Amino acid sequence: MNKHQLSFAKINILNEQIAEVIVNQDVIISLEMSEEYDRALADIFSNNFALLVNKINQYDFSFEAKLSMASHDNLKAIAVVTYDTESKKSVENVAAIRQIDGWNLKVFDGLNLGWQDGLDWLHVELKSAVLS
């Protein structure tokens, strides 16, 4: 597995179209961090891709980062694996702010095989993106 270390997170390349993202504990993602993340994804993926966000750690975003992150044209799906109610609510709040962007995002429960369910869902979503 190919890994990329950012200043605040790790990106694990699961295959040619899917990356797992794990943000470090207690980080507040700034606009600059969001831009670092976006540059890394642009370097890794040149075609359609999907993200499996493993929210195993607690972290948050600055307001500016919430408005700018995950704005790639080739980003077709985001699966977020959460492990508690607070994390799930945090994801739902960011998704609500970005509703106009039409993210294809789904939250999975990490305590109930959510990681594998999220990965399986991403495969289906990428196949349907190719067909459409």
Side-chain angles (χ1 to χ4, degrees), residues 22-87:
I22 302 173
V23 175
N24 299 340
Q25 180 69 28
D26 296 328
V27 168
I28 297 178
I29 299 173
S30 66
L31 181 59
E32 293 78 16
M33 290 172 175
S34 176
E35 290 168 350
E36 175 189 0
Y37 173 71
D38 288 343
R39 279 192 306 274
L41 292 176
D43 289 345
I44 296 165
F45 298 109
S46 57
N47 295 312
N48 291 348
F49 70 99
L51 297 175
L52 179 65
V53 179
N54 191 344
K55 203 159 167 33
I56 196 159
N57 295 321
Q58 295 294 322
Y59 58 90
D60 203 355
F61 300 88
S62 71
F63 184 71
E64 296 82 9
K66 288 177 184 177
L67 296 178
S68 70
M69 66 177 191
S71 298
H72 296 275
D73 290 337
N74 292 337
L75 178 57
K76 299 304 176 189
I78 305 168
V80 182
V81 182
T82 62
Y83 298 87
D84 57 43
T85 306
E86 182 181 328
S87 291

